[in-house]
Amino acid sequence: MLVLVARLEVWGSMDARGAVRFLVYRETTVRGMDGRPFDAVVENFSRTGFLFNAEVALPEGTLIWIGMSGAGAREARVVWREDTRHGCEFLMPLSQRDLQHAFRSRERMVEDLEARLRRASMLREGE
């Protein structure tokens, strides 16, 4: 008899468009196309976009770069704005790997890697 054990992790919620939105509330740096940085807080993100809050008022269509700890920087476009909240779309959707690593601290990534290595080691010992 073959037994399959699986674990499902849900980090966020489904939005009206059917995309999984991951809630993060992480501080980051955003740069306008002029290269000037400003501080922002990313509230949530998905494979195709994100919502950030910052003391700026960028018009729709503005191209920006956003830093995502664990996944590098990405180019995006502001698609809507309400006061200091900005809804953006990535110009290139995140890959599965980048989606898993975006906005994760280096410490958390190391902890996850160590846990995977321990599990792999236990599996080898049990063979």
PDB file of all heavy atoms in Angstrom, residues 28-33 45-50 63-77 88-103:
ATOM      1  N   THR A  28      10.372  48.332   2.522  1.00  0.00           N
ATOM      2  CA  THR A  28      11.245  48.127   1.363  1.00  0.00           C
ATOM      3  C   THR A  28      11.611  49.483   0.771  1.00  0.00           C
ATOM      4  O   THR A  28      11.155  50.519   1.238  1.00  0.00           O
ATOM      5  CB  THR A  28      10.558  47.233   0.307  1.00  0.00           C
ATOM      6  OG1 THR A  28      11.522  46.839  -0.670  1.00  0.00           O
ATOM      7  CG2 THR A  28       9.404  47.953  -0.373  1.00  0.00           C
ATOM      8  N   THR A  29      12.426  49.429  -0.256  1.00  0.00           N
ATOM      9  CA  THR A  29      12.801  50.632  -0.987  1.00  0.00           C
ATOM     10  C   THR A  29      12.223  50.544  -2.393  1.00  0.00           C
ATOM     11  O   THR A  29      12.321  49.506  -3.040  1.00  0.00           O
ATOM     12  CB  THR A  29      14.336  50.766  -1.073  1.00  0.00           C
ATOM     13  OG1 THR A  29      14.856  50.849   0.258  1.00  0.00           O
ATOM     14  CG2 THR A  29      14.731  52.004  -1.854  1.00  0.00           C
ATOM     15  N   VAL A  30      11.628  51.631  -2.814  1.00  0.00           N
ATOM     16  CA  VAL A  30      11.088  51.743  -4.171  1.00  0.00           C
ATOM     17  C   VAL A  30      11.847  52.880  -4.842  1.00  0.00           C
ATOM     18  O   VAL A  30      12.203  53.866  -4.199  1.00  0.00           O
ATOM     19  CB  VAL A  30       9.569  52.042  -4.139  1.00  0.00           C
ATOM     20  CG1 VAL A  30       9.022  52.282  -5.530  1.00  0.00           C
ATOM     21  CG2 VAL A  30       8.820  50.912  -3.444  1.00  0.00           C
ATOM     22  N   ARG A  31      12.120  52.710  -6.128  1.00  0.00           N
ATOM     23  CA  ARG A  31      12.797  53.758  -6.896  1.00  0.00           C
ATOM     24  C   ARG A  31      11.943  54.123  -8.093  1.00  0.00           C
ATOM     25  O   ARG A  31      11.465  53.249  -8.803  1.00  0.00           O
ATOM     26  CB  ARG A  31      14.147  53.278  -7.403  1.00  0.00           C
ATOM     27  CG  ARG A  31      15.150  53.051  -6.309  1.00  0.00           C
ATOM     28  CD  ARG A  31      16.489  52.591  -6.877  1.00  0.00           C
ATOM     29  NE  ARG A  31      17.388  52.233  -5.812  1.00  0.00           N
ATOM     30  CZ  ARG A  31      18.155  53.094  -5.159  1.00  0.00           C
ATOM     31  NH1 ARG A  31      18.129  54.361  -5.472  1.00  0.00           N
ATOM     32  NH2 ARG A  31      18.949  52.688  -4.187  1.00  0.00           N
ATOM     33  N   GLY A  32      11.798  55.418  -8.286  1.00  0.00           N
ATOM     34  CA  GLY A  32      11.156  55.886  -9.499  1.00  0.00           C
ATOM     35  C   GLY A  32      12.139  55.729 -10.646  1.00  0.00           C
ATOM     36  O   GLY A  32      13.310  55.400 -10.444  1.00  0.00           O
ATOM     37  N   MET A  33      11.702  55.985 -11.852  1.00  0.00           N
ATOM     38  CA  MET A  33      12.579  55.826 -13.006  1.00  0.00           C
ATOM     39  C   MET A  33      13.709  56.864 -13.002  1.00  0.00           C
ATOM     40  O   MET A  33      14.690  56.707 -13.703  1.00  0.00           O
ATOM     41  CB  MET A  33      11.782  55.887 -14.305  1.00  0.00           C
ATOM     42  CG  MET A  33      10.826  54.703 -14.469  1.00  0.00           C
ATOM     43  SD  MET A  33      11.525  53.084 -14.086  1.00  0.00           S
ATOM     44  CE  MET A  33      12.618  52.823 -15.450  1.00  0.00           C
ATOM     45  N   PHE A  45       1.256  41.059  -1.834  1.00  0.00           N
ATOM     46  CA  PHE A  45       1.750  40.858  -3.189  1.00  0.00           C
ATOM     47  C   PHE A  45       1.228  39.544  -3.730  1.00  0.00           C
ATOM     48  O   PHE A  45       0.780  38.674  -2.997  1.00  0.00           O
ATOM     49  CB  PHE A  45       3.285  40.909  -3.250  1.00  0.00           C
ATOM     50  CG  PHE A  45       3.966  39.673  -2.723  1.00  0.00           C
ATOM     51  CD1 PHE A  45       4.473  38.719  -3.594  1.00  0.00           C
ATOM     52  CD2 PHE A  45       4.108  39.477  -1.367  1.00  0.00           C
ATOM     53  CE1 PHE A  45       5.100  37.585  -3.110  1.00  0.00           C
ATOM     54  CE2 PHE A  45       4.740  38.349  -0.872  1.00  0.00           C
ATOM     55  CZ  PHE A  45       5.234  37.396  -1.742  1.00  0.00           C
ATOM     56  N   SER A  46       1.261  39.431  -5.040  1.00  0.00           N
ATOM     57  CA  SER A  46       0.887  38.196  -5.729  1.00  0.00           C
ATOM     58  C   SER A  46       1.929  37.978  -6.815  1.00  0.00           C
ATOM     59  O   SER A  46       2.883  38.744  -6.943  1.00  0.00           O
ATOM     60  CB  SER A  46      -0.508  38.311  -6.351  1.00  0.00           C
ATOM     61  OG  SER A  46      -0.489  39.181  -7.463  1.00  0.00           O
ATOM     62  N   ARG A  47       1.720  36.972  -7.616  1.00  0.00           N
ATOM     63  CA  ARG A  47       2.643  36.688  -8.715  1.00  0.00           C
ATOM     64  C   ARG A  47       2.683  37.843  -9.719  1.00  0.00           C
ATOM     65  O   ARG A  47       3.685  38.102 -10.346  1.00  0.00           O
ATOM     66  CB  ARG A  47       2.191  35.399  -9.406  1.00  0.00           C
ATOM     67  CG  ARG A  47       3.119  34.920 -10.468  1.00  0.00           C
ATOM     68  CD  ARG A  47       2.725  33.515 -10.922  1.00  0.00           C
ATOM     69  NE  ARG A  47       3.695  33.070 -11.888  1.00  0.00           N
ATOM     70  CZ  ARG A  47       3.569  33.229 -13.202  1.00  0.00           C
ATOM     71  NH1 ARG A  47       2.483  33.790 -13.690  1.00  0.00           N
ATOM     72  NH2 ARG A  47       4.514  32.809 -14.014  1.00  0.00           N
ATOM     73  N   THR A  48       1.581  38.590  -9.825  1.00  0.00           N
ATOM     74  CA  THR A  48       1.483  39.615 -10.859  1.00  0.00           C
ATOM     75  C   THR A  48       1.533  41.053 -10.354  1.00  0.00           C
ATOM     76  O   THR A  48       1.636  41.971 -11.160  1.00  0.00           O
ATOM     77  CB  THR A  48       0.191  39.436 -11.673  1.00  0.00           C
ATOM     78  OG1 THR A  48      -0.930  39.521 -10.776  1.00  0.00           O
ATOM     79  CG2 THR A  48       0.179  38.103 -12.398  1.00  0.00           C
ATOM     80  N   GLY A  49       1.460  41.269  -9.037  1.00  0.00           N
ATOM     81  CA  GLY A  49       1.465  42.650  -8.567  1.00  0.00           C
ATOM     82  C   GLY A  49       1.547  42.769  -7.061  1.00  0.00           C
ATOM     83  O   GLY A  49       1.694  41.778  -6.349  1.00  0.00           O
ATOM     84  N   PHE A  50       1.424  44.006  -6.578  1.00  0.00           N
ATOM     85  CA  PHE A  50       1.552  44.260  -5.149  1.00  0.00           C
ATOM     86  C   PHE A  50       0.897  45.589  -4.795  1.00  0.00           C
ATOM     87  O   PHE A  50       0.593  46.411  -5.671  1.00  0.00           O
ATOM     88  CB  PHE A  50       3.025  44.284  -4.724  1.00  0.00           C
ATOM     89  CG  PHE A  50       3.854  45.293  -5.461  1.00  0.00           C
ATOM     90  CD1 PHE A  50       4.101  46.545  -4.913  1.00  0.00           C
ATOM     91  CD2 PHE A  50       4.381  45.011  -6.707  1.00  0.00           C
ATOM     92  CE1 PHE A  50       4.857  47.478  -5.596  1.00  0.00           C
ATOM     93  CE2 PHE A  50       5.147  45.929  -7.397  1.00  0.00           C
ATOM     94  CZ  PHE A  50       5.389  47.175  -6.839  1.00  0.00           C
ATOM     95  N   LEU A  63       6.433  54.088 -13.951  1.00  0.00           N
ATOM     96  CA  LEU A  63       7.270  52.897 -13.849  1.00  0.00           C
ATOM     97  C   LEU A  63       8.171  53.029 -12.629  1.00  0.00           C
ATOM     98  O   LEU A  63       8.728  54.107 -12.374  1.00  0.00           O
ATOM     99  CB  LEU A  63       8.116  52.716 -15.106  1.00  0.00           C
ATOM    100  CG  LEU A  63       7.341  52.431 -16.384  1.00  0.00           C
ATOM    101  CD1 LEU A  63       8.303  52.356 -17.570  1.00  0.00           C
ATOM    102  CD2 LEU A  63       6.529  51.161 -16.267  1.00  0.00           C
ATOM    103  N   ILE A  64       8.296  51.939 -11.873  1.00  0.00           N
ATOM    104  CA  ILE A  64       9.093  51.941 -10.648  1.00  0.00           C
ATOM    105  C   ILE A  64       9.913  50.657 -10.566  1.00  0.00           C
ATOM    106  O   ILE A  64       9.670  49.694 -11.311  1.00  0.00           O
ATOM    107  CB  ILE A  64       8.211  52.051  -9.384  1.00  0.00           C
ATOM    108  CG1 ILE A  64       7.241  50.855  -9.300  1.00  0.00           C
ATOM    109  CG2 ILE A  64       7.483  53.380  -9.341  1.00  0.00           C
ATOM    110  CD1 ILE A  64       6.477  50.752  -8.010  1.00  0.00           C
ATOM    111  N   TRP A  65      10.882  50.654  -9.668  1.00  0.00           N
ATOM    112  CA  TRP A  65      11.628  49.453  -9.289  1.00  0.00           C
ATOM    113  C   TRP A  65      11.361  49.216  -7.817  1.00  0.00           C
ATOM    114  O   TRP A  65      11.410  50.153  -7.018  1.00  0.00           O
ATOM    115  CB  TRP A  65      13.133  49.644  -9.495  1.00  0.00           C
ATOM    116  CG  TRP A  65      13.547  49.515 -10.911  1.00  0.00           C
ATOM    117  CD1 TRP A  65      13.641  50.512 -11.834  1.00  0.00           C
ATOM    118  CD2 TRP A  65      13.913  48.316 -11.588  1.00  0.00           C
ATOM    119  NE1 TRP A  65      14.044  50.006 -13.046  1.00  0.00           N
ATOM    120  CE2 TRP A  65      14.217  48.660 -12.923  1.00  0.00           C
ATOM    121  CE3 TRP A  65      14.017  46.982 -11.199  1.00  0.00           C
ATOM    122  CZ2 TRP A  65      14.622  47.730 -13.870  1.00  0.00           C
ATOM    123  CZ3 TRP A  65      14.418  46.052 -12.130  1.00  0.00           C
ATOM    124  CH2 TRP A  65      14.706  46.416 -13.445  1.00  0.00           C
ATOM    125  N   ILE A  66      11.086  47.964  -7.443  1.00  0.00           N
ATOM    126  CA  ILE A  66      10.847  47.636  -6.044  1.00  0.00           C
ATOM    127  C   ILE A  66      11.810  46.548  -5.607  1.00  0.00           C
ATOM    128  O   ILE A  66      12.028  45.572  -6.330  1.00  0.00           O
ATOM    129  CB  ILE A  66       9.390  47.198  -5.790  1.00  0.00           C
ATOM    130  CG1 ILE A  66       9.184  46.899  -4.305  1.00  0.00           C
ATOM    131  CG2 ILE A  66       8.998  46.020  -6.670  1.00  0.00           C
ATOM    132  CD1 ILE A  66       7.743  46.812  -3.897  1.00  0.00           C
ATOM    133  N   GLY A  67      12.403  46.737  -4.422  1.00  0.00           N
ATOM    134  CA  GLY A  67      13.282  45.722  -3.848  1.00  0.00           C
ATOM    135  C   GLY A  67      12.469  44.724  -3.053  1.00  0.00           C
ATOM    136  O   GLY A  67      11.610  45.108  -2.262  1.00  0.00           O
ATOM    137  N   MET A  68      12.716  43.431  -3.316  1.00  0.00           N
ATOM    138  CA  MET A  68      12.003  42.362  -2.602  1.00  0.00           C
ATOM    139  C   MET A  68      13.040  41.439  -1.960  1.00  0.00           C
ATOM    140  O   MET A  68      13.644  40.620  -2.656  1.00  0.00           O
ATOM    141  CB  MET A  68      11.129  41.554  -3.567  1.00  0.00           C
ATOM    142  CG  MET A  68      10.065  42.383  -4.246  1.00  0.00           C
ATOM    143  SD  MET A  68       9.010  41.410  -5.325  1.00  0.00           S
ATOM    144  CE  MET A  68      10.180  40.806  -6.513  1.00  0.00           C
ATOM    145  N   SER A  69      13.262  41.606  -0.661  1.00  0.00           N
ATOM    146  CA  SER A  69      14.260  40.771   0.000  1.00  0.00           C
ATOM    147  C   SER A  69      13.976  39.311  -0.325  1.00  0.00           C
ATOM    148  O   SER A  69      12.851  38.861  -0.262  1.00  0.00           O
ATOM    149  CB  SER A  69      14.227  41.003   1.512  1.00  0.00           C
ATOM    150  OG  SER A  69      12.950  40.688   2.031  1.00  0.00           O
ATOM    151  N   GLY A  70      15.005  38.604  -0.724  1.00  0.00           N
ATOM    152  CA  GLY A  70      14.864  37.202  -1.094  1.00  0.00           C
ATOM    153  C   GLY A  70      14.632  36.966  -2.573  1.00  0.00           C
ATOM    154  O   GLY A  70      14.812  35.865  -3.062  1.00  0.00           O
ATOM    155  N   ALA A  71      14.206  38.002  -3.302  1.00  0.00           N
ATOM    156  CA  ALA A  71      13.906  37.818  -4.726  1.00  0.00           C
ATOM    157  C   ALA A  71      14.450  38.946  -5.606  1.00  0.00           C
ATOM    158  O   ALA A  71      14.102  39.019  -6.777  1.00  0.00           O
ATOM    159  CB  ALA A  71      12.397  37.675  -4.928  1.00  0.00           C
ATOM    160  N   GLY A  72      15.271  39.814  -5.068  1.00  0.00           N
ATOM    161  CA  GLY A  72      15.872  40.875  -5.873  1.00  0.00           C
ATOM    162  C   GLY A  72      14.929  42.036  -6.137  1.00  0.00           C
ATOM    163  O   GLY A  72      13.942  42.223  -5.449  1.00  0.00           O
ATOM    164  N   ALA A  73      15.247  42.820  -7.157  1.00  0.00           N
ATOM    165  CA  ALA A  73      14.443  43.988  -7.519  1.00  0.00           C
ATOM    166  C   ALA A  73      13.673  43.696  -8.805  1.00  0.00           C
ATOM    167  O   ALA A  73      14.136  42.952  -9.668  1.00  0.00           O
ATOM    168  CB  ALA A  73      15.343  45.203  -7.706  1.00  0.00           C
ATOM    169  N   ARG A  74      12.495  44.284  -8.916  1.00  0.00           N
ATOM    170  CA  ARG A  74      11.654  44.065 -10.092  1.00  0.00           C
ATOM    171  C   ARG A  74      11.074  45.380 -10.569  1.00  0.00           C
ATOM    172  O   ARG A  74      10.763  46.273  -9.792  1.00  0.00           O
ATOM    173  CB  ARG A  74      10.481  43.128  -9.765  1.00  0.00           C
ATOM    174  CG  ARG A  74      10.873  41.719  -9.437  1.00  0.00           C
ATOM    175  CD  ARG A  74      11.373  41.014 -10.693  1.00  0.00           C
ATOM    176  NE  ARG A  74      11.624  39.620 -10.468  1.00  0.00           N
ATOM    177  CZ  ARG A  74      12.692  39.113  -9.887  1.00  0.00           C
ATOM    178  NH1 ARG A  74      13.614  39.922  -9.422  1.00  0.00           N
ATOM    179  NH2 ARG A  74      12.866  37.824  -9.756  1.00  0.00           N
ATOM    180  N   GLU A  75      10.849  45.456 -11.869  1.00  0.00           N
ATOM    181  CA  GLU A  75      10.214  46.626 -12.464  1.00  0.00           C
ATOM    182  C   GLU A  75       8.701  46.427 -12.440  1.00  0.00           C
ATOM    183  O   GLU A  75       8.195  45.325 -12.670  1.00  0.00           O
ATOM    184  CB  GLU A  75      10.706  46.806 -13.899  1.00  0.00           C
ATOM    185  CG  GLU A  75      10.340  48.139 -14.483  1.00  0.00           C
ATOM    186  CD  GLU A  75      10.958  48.349 -15.850  1.00  0.00           C
ATOM    187  OE1 GLU A  75      11.354  47.363 -16.510  1.00  0.00           O
ATOM    188  OE2 GLU A  75      11.033  49.512 -16.269  1.00  0.00           O
ATOM    189  N   ALA A  76       7.992  47.502 -12.152  1.00  0.00           N
ATOM    190  CA  ALA A  76       6.532  47.438 -12.068  1.00  0.00           C
ATOM    191  C   ALA A  76       5.942  48.766 -12.551  1.00  0.00           C
ATOM    192  O   ALA A  76       6.660  49.733 -12.771  1.00  0.00           O
ATOM    193  CB  ALA A  76       6.103  47.159 -10.630  1.00  0.00           C
ATOM    194  N   ARG A  77       4.624  48.753 -12.695  1.00  0.00           N
ATOM    195  CA  ARG A  77       3.895  49.953 -13.135  1.00  0.00           C
ATOM    196  C   ARG A  77       2.753  50.206 -12.138  1.00  0.00           C
ATOM    197  O   ARG A  77       2.058  49.275 -11.728  1.00  0.00           O
ATOM    198  CB  ARG A  77       3.315  49.723 -14.527  1.00  0.00           C
ATOM    199  CG  ARG A  77       2.454  50.840 -15.042  1.00  0.00           C
ATOM    200  CD  ARG A  77       1.750  50.572 -16.373  1.00  0.00           C
ATOM    201  NE  ARG A  77       1.993  49.300 -17.013  1.00  0.00           N
ATOM    202  CZ  ARG A  77       2.963  49.071 -17.931  1.00  0.00           C
ATOM    203  NH1 ARG A  77       3.761  50.023 -18.294  1.00  0.00           N
ATOM    204  NH2 ARG A  77       3.095  47.884 -18.476  1.00  0.00           N
ATOM    205  N   CYS A  88       0.134  48.107  -7.902  1.00  0.00           N
ATOM    206  CA  CYS A  88       1.104  47.995  -8.998  1.00  0.00           C
ATOM    207  C   CYS A  88       1.063  46.609  -9.621  1.00  0.00           C
ATOM    208  O   CYS A  88       0.715  45.629  -8.955  1.00  0.00           O
ATOM    209  CB  CYS A  88       2.522  48.243  -8.472  1.00  0.00           C
ATOM    210  SG  CYS A  88       2.705  49.849  -7.677  1.00  0.00           S
ATOM    211  N   GLU A  89       1.465  46.541 -10.883  1.00  0.00           N
ATOM    212  CA  GLU A  89       1.622  45.258 -11.554  1.00  0.00           C
ATOM    213  C   GLU A  89       3.077  45.097 -11.965  1.00  0.00           C
ATOM    214  O   GLU A  89       3.716  46.060 -12.400  1.00  0.00           O
ATOM    215  CB  GLU A  89       0.705  45.130 -12.764  1.00  0.00           C
ATOM    216  CG  GLU A  89       1.070  46.022 -13.919  1.00  0.00           C
ATOM    217  CD  GLU A  89       0.190  45.812 -15.139  1.00  0.00           C
ATOM    218  OE1 GLU A  89      -0.462  44.761 -15.251  1.00  0.00           O
ATOM    219  OE2 GLU A  89       0.158  46.722 -15.982  1.00  0.00           O
ATOM    220  N   PHE A  90       3.604  43.884 -11.782  1.00  0.00           N
ATOM    221  CA  PHE A  90       4.951  43.598 -12.255  1.00  0.00           C
ATOM    222  C   PHE A  90       4.936  43.574 -13.779  1.00  0.00           C
ATOM    223  O   PHE A  90       3.985  43.062 -14.382  1.00  0.00           O
ATOM    224  CB  PHE A  90       5.435  42.233 -11.741  1.00  0.00           C
ATOM    225  CG  PHE A  90       5.631  42.178 -10.250  1.00  0.00           C
ATOM    226  CD1 PHE A  90       4.853  41.338  -9.468  1.00  0.00           C
ATOM    227  CD2 PHE A  90       6.600  42.954  -9.633  1.00  0.00           C
ATOM    228  CE1 PHE A  90       5.028  41.271  -8.101  1.00  0.00           C
ATOM    229  CE2 PHE A  90       6.780  42.905  -8.259  1.00  0.00           C
ATOM    230  CZ  PHE A  90       5.996  42.065  -7.488  1.00  0.00           C
ATOM    231  N   LEU A  91       5.976  44.099 -14.403  1.00  0.00           N
ATOM    232  CA  LEU A  91       6.039  44.034 -15.859  1.00  0.00           C
ATOM    233  C   LEU A  91       6.250  42.602 -16.317  1.00  0.00           C
ATOM    234  O   LEU A  91       5.777  42.222 -17.392  1.00  0.00           O
ATOM    235  CB  LEU A  91       7.148  44.947 -16.395  1.00  0.00           C
ATOM    236  CG  LEU A  91       6.948  46.447 -16.125  1.00  0.00           C
ATOM    237  CD1 LEU A  91       7.983  47.260 -16.889  1.00  0.00           C
ATOM    238  CD2 LEU A  91       5.547  46.909 -16.471  1.00  0.00           C
ATOM    239  N   MET A  92       6.953  41.809 -15.514  1.00  0.00           N
ATOM    240  CA  MET A  92       7.112  40.367 -15.755  1.00  0.00           C
ATOM    241  C   MET A  92       6.647  39.652 -14.489  1.00  0.00           C
ATOM    242  O   MET A  92       7.214  39.912 -13.421  1.00  0.00           O
ATOM    243  CB  MET A  92       8.581  40.011 -16.012  1.00  0.00           C
ATOM    244  CG  MET A  92       9.176  40.625 -17.256  1.00  0.00           C
ATOM    245  SD  MET A  92       8.767  39.724 -18.746  1.00  0.00           S
ATOM    246  CE  MET A  92       9.444  38.138 -18.416  1.00  0.00           C
ATOM    247  N   PRO A  93       5.625  38.782 -14.566  1.00  0.00           N
ATOM    248  CA  PRO A  93       5.168  38.090 -13.363  1.00  0.00           C
ATOM    249  C   PRO A  93       6.317  37.339 -12.669  1.00  0.00           C
ATOM    250  O   PRO A  93       7.277  36.912 -13.316  1.00  0.00           O
ATOM    251  CB  PRO A  93       4.127  37.103 -13.896  1.00  0.00           C
ATOM    252  CG  PRO A  93       3.672  37.711 -15.180  1.00  0.00           C
ATOM    253  CD  PRO A  93       4.878  38.396 -15.756  1.00  0.00           C
ATOM    254  N   LEU A  94       6.199  37.211 -11.360  1.00  0.00           N
ATOM    255  CA  LEU A  94       7.219  36.500 -10.590  1.00  0.00           C
ATOM    256  C   LEU A  94       7.239  35.025 -10.953  1.00  0.00           C
ATOM    257  O   LEU A  94       6.189  34.418 -11.166  1.00  0.00           O
ATOM    258  CB  LEU A  94       6.942  36.629  -9.090  1.00  0.00           C
ATOM    259  CG  LEU A  94       6.971  38.019  -8.484  1.00  0.00           C
ATOM    260  CD1 LEU A  94       6.636  37.954  -7.001  1.00  0.00           C
ATOM    261  CD2 LEU A  94       8.304  38.684  -8.722  1.00  0.00           C
ATOM    262  N   SER A  95       8.428  34.446 -10.985  1.00  0.00           N
ATOM    263  CA  SER A  95       8.552  33.000 -11.171  1.00  0.00           C
ATOM    264  C   SER A  95       8.099  32.322  -9.882  1.00  0.00           C
ATOM    265  O   SER A  95       7.964  32.963  -8.831  1.00  0.00           O
ATOM    266  CB  SER A  95      10.009  32.629 -11.464  1.00  0.00           C
ATOM    267  OG  SER A  95      10.806  32.855 -10.296  1.00  0.00           O
ATOM    268  N   GLN A  96       7.876  31.029  -9.936  1.00  0.00           N
ATOM    269  CA  GLN A  96       7.467  30.285  -8.748  1.00  0.00           C
ATOM    270  C   GLN A  96       8.507  30.425  -7.640  1.00  0.00           C
ATOM    271  O   GLN A  96       8.173  30.620  -6.478  1.00  0.00           O
ATOM    272  CB  GLN A  96       7.258  28.801  -9.094  1.00  0.00           C
ATOM    273  CG  GLN A  96       6.653  28.004  -7.969  1.00  0.00           C
ATOM    274  CD  GLN A  96       5.245  28.455  -7.609  1.00  0.00           C
ATOM    275  OE1 GLN A  96       4.468  28.868  -8.469  1.00  0.00           O
ATOM    276  NE2 GLN A  96       4.900  28.404  -6.343  1.00  0.00           N
ATOM    277  N   ARG A  97       9.785  30.340  -8.000  1.00  0.00           N
ATOM    278  CA  ARG A  97      10.860  30.471  -7.015  1.00  0.00           C
ATOM    279  C   ARG A  97      10.842  31.842  -6.361  1.00  0.00           C
ATOM    280  O   ARG A  97      10.923  31.975  -5.142  1.00  0.00           O
ATOM    281  CB  ARG A  97      12.226  30.228  -7.664  1.00  0.00           C
ATOM    282  CG  ARG A  97      13.376  30.325  -6.676  1.00  0.00           C
ATOM    283  CD  ARG A  97      14.716  30.599  -7.382  1.00  0.00           C
ATOM    284  NE  ARG A  97      15.717  30.978  -6.434  1.00  0.00           N
ATOM    285  CZ  ARG A  97      15.851  32.183  -5.885  1.00  0.00           C
ATOM    286  NH1 ARG A  97      15.022  33.143  -6.179  1.00  0.00           N
ATOM    287  NH2 ARG A  97      16.808  32.443  -5.017  1.00  0.00           N
ATOM    288  N   ASP A  98      10.741  32.895  -7.177  1.00  0.00           N
ATOM    289  CA  ASP A  98      10.719  34.248  -6.632  1.00  0.00           C
ATOM    290  C   ASP A  98       9.474  34.487  -5.784  1.00  0.00           C
ATOM    291  O   ASP A  98       9.534  35.175  -4.771  1.00  0.00           O
ATOM    292  CB  ASP A  98      10.815  35.290  -7.741  1.00  0.00           C
ATOM    293  CG  ASP A  98      12.201  35.345  -8.357  1.00  0.00           C
ATOM    294  OD1 ASP A  98      13.162  34.875  -7.716  1.00  0.00           O
ATOM    295  OD2 ASP A  98      12.323  35.850  -9.493  1.00  0.00           O
ATOM    296  N   LEU A  99       8.363  33.915  -6.182  1.00  0.00           N
ATOM    297  CA  LEU A  99       7.137  34.036  -5.406  1.00  0.00           C
ATOM    298  C   LEU A  99       7.326  33.437  -4.016  1.00  0.00           C
ATOM    299  O   LEU A  99       6.899  33.996  -3.014  1.00  0.00           O
ATOM    300  CB  LEU A  99       5.985  33.341  -6.138  1.00  0.00           C
ATOM    301  CG  LEU A  99       4.606  33.464  -5.520  1.00  0.00           C
ATOM    302  CD1 LEU A  99       4.158  34.918  -5.494  1.00  0.00           C
ATOM    303  CD2 LEU A  99       3.611  32.623  -6.298  1.00  0.00           C
ATOM    304  N   GLN A 100       8.018  32.307  -3.946  1.00  0.00           N
ATOM    305  CA  GLN A 100       8.256  31.646  -2.658  1.00  0.00           C
ATOM    306  C   GLN A 100       9.245  32.407  -1.784  1.00  0.00           C
ATOM    307  O   GLN A 100       9.174  32.320  -0.562  1.00  0.00           O
ATOM    308  CB  GLN A 100       8.781  30.229  -2.883  1.00  0.00           C
ATOM    309  CG  GLN A 100       7.752  29.304  -3.469  1.00  0.00           C
ATOM    310  CD  GLN A 100       8.359  27.966  -3.845  1.00  0.00           C
ATOM    311  OE1 GLN A 100       9.563  27.827  -3.971  1.00  0.00           O
ATOM    312  NE2 GLN A 100       7.494  26.986  -4.029  1.00  0.00           N
ATOM    313  N   HIS A 101      10.173  33.135  -2.391  1.00  0.00           N
ATOM    314  CA  HIS A 101      11.229  33.787  -1.619  1.00  0.00           C
ATOM    315  C   HIS A 101      11.024  35.289  -1.395  1.00  0.00           C
ATOM    316  O   HIS A 101      11.728  35.883  -0.587  1.00  0.00           O
ATOM    317  CB  HIS A 101      12.588  33.560  -2.291  1.00  0.00           C
ATOM    318  CG  HIS A 101      13.022  32.143  -2.213  1.00  0.00           C
ATOM    319  ND1 HIS A 101      12.816  31.265  -3.246  1.00  0.00           N
ATOM    320  CD2 HIS A 101      13.618  31.444  -1.224  1.00  0.00           C
ATOM    321  CE1 HIS A 101      13.280  30.081  -2.894  1.00  0.00           C
ATOM    322  NE2 HIS A 101      13.763  30.160  -1.684  1.00  0.00           N
ATOM    323  N   ALA A 102      10.105  35.895  -2.101  1.00  0.00           N
ATOM    324  CA  ALA A 102       9.923  37.348  -2.009  1.00  0.00           C
ATOM    325  C   ALA A 102       9.527  37.776  -0.602  1.00  0.00           C
ATOM    326  O   ALA A 102       8.697  37.144   0.046  1.00  0.00           O
ATOM    327  CB  ALA A 102       8.856  37.799  -3.002  1.00  0.00           C
ATOM    328  N   PHE A 103      10.152  38.850  -0.141  1.00  0.00           N
ATOM    329  CA  PHE A 103       9.868  39.486   1.140  1.00  0.00           C
ATOM    330  C   PHE A 103      10.116  38.573   2.336  1.00  0.00           C
ATOM    331  O   PHE A 103       9.517  38.735   3.377  1.00  0.00           O
ATOM    332  CB  PHE A 103       8.445  40.052   1.179  1.00  0.00           C
ATOM    333  CG  PHE A 103       8.216  41.083   0.126  1.00  0.00           C
ATOM    334  CD1 PHE A 103       7.436  40.803  -0.982  1.00  0.00           C
ATOM    335  CD2 PHE A 103       8.818  42.323   0.220  1.00  0.00           C
ATOM    336  CE1 PHE A 103       7.243  41.750  -1.968  1.00  0.00           C
ATOM    337  CE2 PHE A 103       8.637  43.279  -0.766  1.00  0.00           C
ATOM    338  CZ  PHE A 103       7.846  42.990  -1.863  1.00  0.00           C
TER     339      PHE A 103
END
